[in-house]
Amino acid sequence: MKIPLSDEIAARVEARLAKFSLSWTKLDLDPLRRATSFKVVVLCEMLGGRTKAADAVELTDNTLDNYRHGKQDPTFATLEMLAEKVGIAGRYLGGEWSFEKGSIRIDLSGDGAAGTTATSMRPPGLMDNPPAPYLHGYDEIGPSAALIEHYWRRLGLDPASMSAVLAEGDSMMPTIADQSPVFVDTADRNLADGGIYALRAEGRLIIRRVQRLIGGGVQLLADNAAAYPPQEIGEATLADLEILGRVRSAAVAC
């Protein structure tokens, strides 16, 4: 996807990227924070500059400058609001952004070019579905309870049924790391084929992917299959399996 800019806006974007990229290099920003700062700079200029952008999302000029320099990360809600003010759908925030010949190029494939490309990343999101856009720093801001509820509702989940547990061990690597917070939908315990579930076996929490077997029963599969062989649960003993719920999301270290 390409968003053509007017000559005036393109010139401002180019000048601001040149200015702020010096800060990014000086601060030795990691690619994720650099990617977020890149997007803030572009969106600010598309809105008419720092002051107009700050007014549009009710921030101070200094706060917006911290975002542009990469000293702080905006919340996802703030960045989404900036994008919506210029007519860019929130789903495009998870793509790789670059400035090319007077246009903003957004690559959702994850195969964007290097250099000025703003590399983003995506966590598992809804584990069984396409990943949701993710922006570096969202998990660092200590979001309010209302914001967390809004996040679950946007994913089509009932906030009241969501519970958090800590993953133990490396059985689900690389999908879920050891000691990662894992978010479980306790209202969904139906063991859908291909779903990831939190289970309790012999008093120990395990997280496994489920494969339904012909004729009844399931196999519990670890993503780290080389170290953890499949475990078959027959139809006769399936009712004895303690199912905590379906894993819907997991935190990603950054």
Side-chain angles (χ1 to χ4, degrees):
M1 171 184 173
K2 280 192 176 182
I3 303 174
L5 306 176
S6 69
D7 290 345
E8 179 185 356
I9 293 177
R12 289 207 311 263
V13 168
E14 187 171 19
R16 295 295 183 272
L17 289 175
K19 171 185 175 181
F20 286 104
S21 63
L22 297 176
S23 294
W24 304 339
T25 300
K26 183 178 180 180
L27 293 171
D28 193 24
L29 297 189
D30 62 76
L32 294 173
R33 179 162 282 182
R34 186 184 180 102
T36 303
S37 298
F38 182 103
K39 292 168 187 175
V40 175
V41 169
V42 168
L43 292 170
C44 283
E45 296 312 313
M46 292 178 72
L47 279 168
R50 179 185 69 172
T51 300
K52 290 183 178 179
D55 289 343
V57 293
E58 299 181 352
L59 293 174
T60 66
D61 289 356
N62 286 340
T63 297
L64 206 55
D65 271 347
N66 285 336
Y67 297 161
R68 295 196 295 175
H69 281 291
K71 295 177 180 178
Q72 288 179 266
D73 285 319
T75 66
F76 180 81
T78 296
L79 201 54
E80 187 177 43
M81 191 182 304
L82 283 170
E84 289 177 350
K85 293 288 185 182
V86 299
I88 298 176
R91 67 181 181 275
Y92 291 108
L93 292 171
E96 297 183 349
W97 289 31
S98 58
F99 178 68
E100 300 176 2
K101 298 179 180 179
S103 297
I104 300 302
R105 181 175 182 268
I106 301 177
D107 182 5
L108 293 176
S109 70
D111 299 324
T116 57
T117 298
T119 305
S120 187
M121 72 174 286
R122 304 176 184 199
L126 283 177
M127 289 291 186
D128 318 313
N129 299 318
Y134 170 79
L135 295 172
H136 180 51
Y138 180 64
D139 60 338
E140 298 174 353
I141 63 170
S144 66
L147 183 58
I148 294 172
E149 287 191 9
H150 175 67
Y151 174 71
W152 293 128
R153 292 190 191 282
R154 287 188 60 186
L155 296 181
L157 304 172
D158 179 3
S161 70
M162 300 307 298
S163 180
V165 299
L166 283 179
E168 298 178 3
D170 62 353
S171 62
M172 290 301 289
M173 289 285 290
T175 309
I176 301 172
D178 181 28
Q179 298 303 303
S180 292
V182 175
F183 302 96
V184 178
D185 182 1
T186 59
D188 187 346
R189 304 181 184 183
N190 293 326
L191 294 186
D193 193 48
I196 300 175
Y197 290 82
L199 313 160
R200 198 173 299 282
E202 298 178 353
R204 187 172 63 89
L205 172 73
I206 62 171
I207 297 172
R208 293 291 187 273
R209 200 178 295 273
V210 168
Q211 182 178 352
R212 283 281 183 180
L213 299 176
I214 296 174
V218 299
Q219 270 195 335
L220 304 181
L221 306 175
D223 283 7
N224 184 5
Y228 297 85
Q231 180 183 357
E232 188 167 318
I233 306 293
E235 186 175 17
T237 57
L238 192 56
D240 297 330
L241 186 63
E242 185 179 354
I243 306 165
L244 302 183
R246 189 169 185 165
V247 174
R248 288 303 195 177
S249 186
V252 175
C254 57

